[in-house]
Amino acid sequence: MADDKHQAGVESSAISILKRAVELDNSRRFEESMTCYQEGVGLLMQVLKSVSDQSKRQKYRQKIEEYLKRAEELKIFVKVEKEASKQHSQIQVEANSKGHSYETLFGQYLNKYVSVVEVDDPYIRAHHQVQNFLRLCELIVRKKCPVKSIILNTGRDEDMTSQQQQHQKLLGIGKSLQGLGIRLDINYSDTLHDREIRLDTGWVIKIGRGLDIYKNCEKFAIGFCDMELRPCHETTVDIFHRKAVKSSPS
């Protein structure tokens, strides 16, 4: 009787800790979540030892494997991010050079842990600039990131007709993204100057020219569709982790 009571208490603690692990996981507090997964699994393994019913044992084993797998994924991710966050990558894009699609420049950072992408670019206004933003959105979708929200902070022209055309095009992108379960929030600012992409994993992609790095191209010329083949303007791309900035000496 006392043993049964003890085991029930252990199981209750395991459930509580694993529930907390999932909450932390969903809140992107991965290091804390990993610790809770490991602690909760340890308690579940204690419970498993005292269970004789085979169907129940199988159920416990499946849960243990599931939580251990997630804990291992988080362990690897946290380790990789800690190492990567110490690095600062800088890419010099030379005038007329090719091979600089968004995917080549920063596609590797659009991984399965990214859920929010925020873009600061005051010049998502003209038709080709809106197309550049669309290409970024397409890359996010193609990389199969679990992104639920894209936030665009941009500027507007003084001309009312241009403003309306810009807004309608961006709304069109938003409607298309909505069909894929992604929300697009558009914010207009008259004082925005910075050009950068921020990921909720902590990575910042700072592009000197913003998304507008490609030169004009004839519609039936090589490079019109494939941005790897499109000549670029000269610019610099800096990629760094916010933790690295906070921990750097002042």
Side-chain angles (χ1 to χ4, degrees):
M1 188 75 173
D3 286 345
D4 290 344
K5 213 168 182 179
H6 174 71
Q7 287 304 117
V10 173
E11 184 173 10
S12 177
S13 295
I15 292 170
S16 177
I17 292 169
L18 289 168
K19 183 179 178 182
R20 178 61 176 159
V22 173
E23 289 173 352
L24 289 167
D25 199 343
N26 291 335
S27 299
R28 311 186 63 76
R29 293 163 62 180
F30 295 134
E31 199 161 0
E32 296 170 75
S33 175
M34 176 183 67
T35 301
C36 286
Y37 277 127
Q38 292 170 338
E39 187 177 342
V41 164
L43 293 174
L44 271 188
M45 291 178 76
Q46 288 183 38
V47 175
L48 179 62
K49 291 177 183 178
S50 64
V51 175
S52 56
D53 184 277
Q54 288 304 313
S55 63
K56 285 185 177 181
R57 287 181 66 84
Q58 183 61 26
K59 181 181 175 183
Y60 280 119
R61 285 197 191 99
Q62 287 178 348
K63 283 295 181 184
I64 287 170
E65 288 175 10
E66 177 185 326
Y67 291 130
L68 277 177
K69 182 181 178 182
R70 182 57 180 166
E72 187 61 26
E73 286 178 351
L74 294 180
K75 182 179 178 181
I76 293 170
F77 174 74
V78 168
K79 182 179 179 181
V80 169
E81 286 292 289
K82 279 185 175 180
E83 288 302 313
S85 67
K86 299 174 186 176
Q87 302 172 11
H88 178 172
S89 174
Q90 186 175 84
I91 303 164
Q92 297 289 345
V93 178
E94 297 181 1
N96 297 311
S97 63
K98 300 175 184 178
H100 302 296
S101 66
Y102 296 149
E103 180 159 17
T104 298
L105 289 172
F106 53 80
Q108 63 178 307
Y109 299 96
L110 295 169
N111 56 39
K112 64 181 180 179
Y113 297 99
V114 179
S115 63
V116 179
V117 177
E118 185 165 9
V119 180
D120 285 356
D121 192 326
Y123 291 101
I124 306 296
R125 308 183 189 188
H127 181 73
H128 75 279
Q129 293 168 340
V130 176
Q131 282 185 320
N132 285 333
F133 178 67
L134 175 57
R135 290 186 184 103
L136 173 62
C137 293
E138 288 177 335
L139 174 60
I140 291 167
V141 171
R142 193 166 69 249
K143 297 293 282 187
K144 298 182 180 179
C145 309
V147 169
K148 297 299 178 188
S149 173
I150 298 175
I151 303 164
L152 172 63
N153 305 308
T154 190
R156 310 184 83 164
D157 288 328
E158 292 182 7
D159 179 66
M160 285 299 295
T161 301
S162 297
Q163 287 184 16
Q164 291 171 358
Q165 290 175 347
Q166 173 195 24
H167 192 59
Q168 287 305 310
K169 289 170 185 174
L170 291 174
L171 286 179
I173 295 175
K175 184 177 180 182
S176 181
L177 287 169
Q178 189 176 20
L180 297 169
I182 302 173
R183 174 178 172 175
L184 174 61
D185 291 313
I186 308 162
N187 304 310
Y188 297 105
S189 170
D190 296 327
T191 57
L192 183 67
H193 295 289
D194 290 343
R195 297 165 173 86
E196 64 182 33
I197 301 166
R198 294 184 294 277
L199 312 179
D200 63 344
T201 49
W203 288 102
V204 179
I205 300 109
K206 204 171 186 69
I207 309 174
R209 289 186 57 94
L211 294 177
D212 194 8
I213 65 173
Y214 303 111
K215 291 195 169 184
N216 290 333
C217 184
E218 295 294 331
K219 286 188 177 180
F220 295 100
I222 299 299
F224 180 74
C225 295
D226 189 343
M227 306 315 284
E228 278 286 297
L229 304 174
R230 178 78 69 92
C232 292
H233 294 287
E234 182 178 351
T235 193
T236 302
V237 182
D238 286 288
I239 303 173
F240 55 90
H241 200 283
R242 284 195 292 268
K243 282 185 180 178
V245 175
K246 290 176 183 176
S247 61
S248 63
S250 55

